[in-house]
Amino acid sequence: RNLYFLYASNNQLSGGLPTSIGYMKNFLAEVDLSGNSLSSTIPEEFGKLEHITNLRLNGNKLTGTLPEKMGEMESLNELQIQDNDLTGYVPKKLCNNTGISDCGDP
């Protein structure tokens, strides 16, 4: 069996985002970890999620910048990262591949 949807929002989760999520690249379509207390950077491995359509990481304590590898998420339709401590810009390749309109300018 494969995991297509990972919904764990508002569960008081803490710690870092697991890099192992990148190993689910062939089938994971949606990840919702919003409204927790996750406090790491976004791992480079998240960029391996080729078929992901929705990624919700908003309302955590994530830091750092969005990995450039996230630009390879060509199926991504929804990216929610607000209400974190992230810095920098959305990678240009991610904007170009997904049609995200408000990417800022490095």
Side-chain angles (χ1 to χ4, degrees):
R1 299 193 116 177
N2 293 327
L3 179 67
Y4 295 99
F5 307 103
L6 174 59
Y7 299 130
S9 62
N10 301 307
N11 277 294
Q12 300 178 356
L13 299 176
S14 61
L17 292 169
T19 57
S20 58
I21 283 182
Y23 297 117
M24 300 178 191
K25 65 181 182 177
N26 294 322
F27 44 86
L28 193 57
E30 294 187 20
V31 173
D32 186 348
L33 296 172
S34 61
N36 286 295
S37 294
L38 299 170
S39 59
S40 65
T41 59
I42 298 173
E44 193 76 25
E45 288 82 359
F46 270 53
K48 296 179 181 179
L49 298 174
E50 302 167 0
H51 302 290
I52 194 162
T53 57
N54 298 309
L55 178 58
R56 298 180 194 102
L57 300 173
N58 53 299
N60 282 289
K61 300 174 184 176
L62 300 173
T63 59
T65 60
L66 292 178
E68 286 294 323
K69 189 144 181 78
M70 287 181 70
E72 297 175 20
M73 302 170 115
E74 296 183 6
S75 298
L76 191 64
N77 292 320
E78 178 183 357
L79 175 63
Q80 292 189 20
I81 52 173
Q82 69 274 15
D83 299 324
N84 281 292
D85 293 319
L86 296 168
T87 58
Y89 297 93
V90 175
K92 285 287 188 196
K93 189 173 179 185
L94 181 60
C95 296
N96 295 339
N97 288 344
T98 61
I100 293 174
S101 59
D102 187 13
C103 290
D105 209 3

